[in-house]
Amino acid sequence: MTTAIAETYLRSTRASERAAAAAYLANAALAAETPRDDRHAAISALTLLADDPSPNVRAAIALALAGNRRAPLHIVLHLAKDQPSVAAPILLRSPLLTEGDLVELVATLDARGQTVIARRAGLTPGVTATLSAFGPRDAVIELARNDDAEILPSAFRQMVERFGCDAELREILIRQARLPVDCRHRLLASIGDVLSQSAFVKATIGSERAARVTRDACARSTVSLVEGARTAELSELVARLRETGHLTTAFVLRCMALGKMEFFVHLVAHLSTVPQERVRTILVSGRDLAITALFDKAGFAASIHQPLVGAIHVWRSVARGERIAGVREASQAMIDAMGKENSSQAGPVVSLLRQVQADATRAAATETVRIAA
């Protein structure tokens, strides 16, 4: 029966009839109950069909073979390199395509084919890395949407490096829980740059205020990133902040006022080149002289040593259970530690700490209202 259908197919001149026969032959070749000779005949006919001049015929074969492990491998590989309307089912679903096959296809197919591969379930790191490094914009966007793809941090960094200025990709990546914290910071900084350069924003509030508001918003966002970062990501975030010039005195003070002690350990260790465990020991139980010596080695301005030490004492007492305190108390201790300092840097430091206090007060009031509601 199958041989007869194959012969009919080979003599047919109408593409629609050949497509119907092609689908029948493909299903026959896949069926376990098909006799061996009929299966061989069907595969032989399908091998010819795979070069049929009509894309509808080739598409019928691809659709029938796409999700089946019994499909003839040589036909699957041949159709995977066909035009996107034919190859799409194979590229999207064929279990016969290995990581090596997919990497080769990414390197050889056009943008439409690469975009189809980016939607494929269960993509492995080798494929996602290749797409991130060489795929076109649309393929990278589809990959970013693909929650079933295994994307390593290095691949996310490639996406951000290549297309971080693309608004659509930024929006998708920001919602990705797997995005490394340093990539998240880079995207937030990119958004800040766009806002600060916006003609509308400048016309509304002025260039200087736009730059200041954007800078403050970026600092707050970066602190939020610190809160959500995994411990293993903190060193990478510190390196990123230092590289981009966001590791400012104001940011250091804000982090300490907010009690980001683990991040502060990574920060000081990175800047001072002192091992993390040694830094942690000094910050947790060291004397003030040891702490300030560590700050000197880290390159912190002398004017912020005492405020930082004041906050450390507050957070130490909280950790020991000796007092209940939060951001407002820590920032006040930092202000008090400034004493009667009249240097040119004292004013900006106090202003920043007052702002941190105000932010904490507003946050507490908002939370109280939320709970009451």
Side-chain angles (χ1 to χ4, degrees):
M1 178 65 176
T2 304
T3 303
I5 292 175
E7 291 174 353
T8 300
Y9 155 75
L10 292 171
R11 292 194 300 268
S12 177
T13 58
R14 296 179 60 182
S16 59
E17 293 178 356
R18 297 200 308 276
Y24 182 93
L25 286 167
N27 289 323
L30 298 175
E33 63 272 15
T34 300
R36 182 176 179 179
D37 290 344
D38 283 352
R39 173 176 165 78
H40 287 325
I43 291 174
S44 297
L46 288 170
T47 302
L48 296 175
L49 286 167
D51 287 317
D52 192 282
S54 170
N56 291 337
V57 175
R58 305 195 304 275
I61 303 172
L63 187 61
L65 299 182
N68 200 298
R69 291 188 176 277
R70 290 172 55 85
L73 179 60
H74 69 285
I75 298 177
V76 168
L77 293 175
H78 181 71
L79 292 176
K81 298 174 184 177
D82 208 317
Q83 65 188 57
S85 61
V86 173
I90 297 287
L91 297 176
L92 195 60
R93 296 191 288 118
S94 176
L96 299 181
L97 296 179
T98 65
E99 181 178 71
D101 294 330
L102 291 168
V103 167
E104 180 183 351
L105 289 167
V106 169
T108 57
L109 294 180
D110 63 12
R112 291 181 297 171
Q114 293 170 322
T115 301
V116 173
I117 292 175
R119 300 189 189 107
R120 184 181 170 97
L123 286 177
T124 56
V127 183
T128 58
T130 305
L131 282 167
S132 299
F134 303 108
R137 170 191 175 276
D138 288 349
V140 172
I141 285 177
E142 290 300 325
L143 179 62
R145 286 195 178 105
N146 189 347
D147 292 332
D148 197 48
E150 189 174 352
I151 307 174
L152 298 180
S154 57
F156 276 119
R157 293 185 183 107
Q158 280 279 8
M159 293 185 200
V160 174
E161 179 71 28
R162 296 179 65 215
F163 300 109
C165 293
D166 186 277
E168 184 178 0
L169 181 63
R170 279 202 309 264
E171 183 179 351
I172 295 167
L173 288 176
I174 285 292
R175 295 198 301 265
Q176 263 285 1
R178 300 176 293 170
L179 187 71
V181 68
D182 57 301
C183 291
R184 199 173 296 278
H185 175 264
R186 183 166 185 166
L187 294 176
L188 289 172
S190 175
I191 294 171
D193 290 341
V194 170
L195 289 175
S196 66
Q197 297 302 318
S198 166
F200 175 78
V201 173
K202 288 181 179 180
T204 303
I205 63 176
S207 298
E208 291 187 8
R209 188 180 177 196
R212 186 174 65 256
V213 168
T214 301
R215 186 169 56 250
D216 290 345
C218 285
R220 292 186 181 92
S221 297
T222 302
V223 172
S224 297
L225 293 182
V226 171
E227 293 175 349
R230 294 179 287 272
T231 301
E233 296 180 310
L234 292 178
S235 293
E236 191 70 41
L237 178 58
V238 170
R240 164 69 189 168
L241 294 173
R242 188 180 189 184
E243 176 188 342
T244 57
H246 288 89
L247 205 57
T248 62
T249 297
F251 178 73
V252 171
L253 289 167
R254 187 183 292 272
C255 284
M256 181 54 75
L258 294 171
K260 309 305 177 190
M261 294 300 295
E262 186 60 29
F263 175 75
F264 196 70
V265 168
H266 284 75
L267 169 62
V268 174
H270 180 88
L271 295 177
S272 66
T273 69
V274 175
Q276 284 185 21
E277 285 309 311
R278 177 60 180 160
V279 170
R280 185 176 287 105
T281 298
I282 292 174
L283 295 181
V284 169
S285 58
R287 295 180 180 274
D288 289 359
L289 285 176
I291 297 174
T292 54
L294 186 62
F295 290 166
D296 271 330
K297 191 170 179 59
F300 291 163
S303 60
I304 68 169
H305 287 188
Q306 290 309 310
L308 292 176
V309 171
I312 287 172
H313 284 300
V314 171
W315 297 122
R316 279 180 178 179
S317 63
V318 170
R320 291 193 296 263
E322 296 172 356
R323 66 182 292 187
I324 297 175
V327 176
R328 285 172 289 183
E329 291 77 12
S331 54
Q332 185 59 52
M334 296 172 79
I335 292 171
D336 293 342
M338 297 294 295
K340 299 185 182 298
E341 178 68 53
N342 292 316
S343 71
S344 60
Q345 297 184 21
V349 169
V350 172
S351 295
L352 170 69
L353 294 172
R354 294 291 186 203
Q355 183 60 53
V356 171
Q357 280 187 320
D359 290 344
T361 300
R362 281 195 296 271
T366 301
E367 181 64 14
T368 299
V369 171
R370 186 189 68 80
I371 294 173

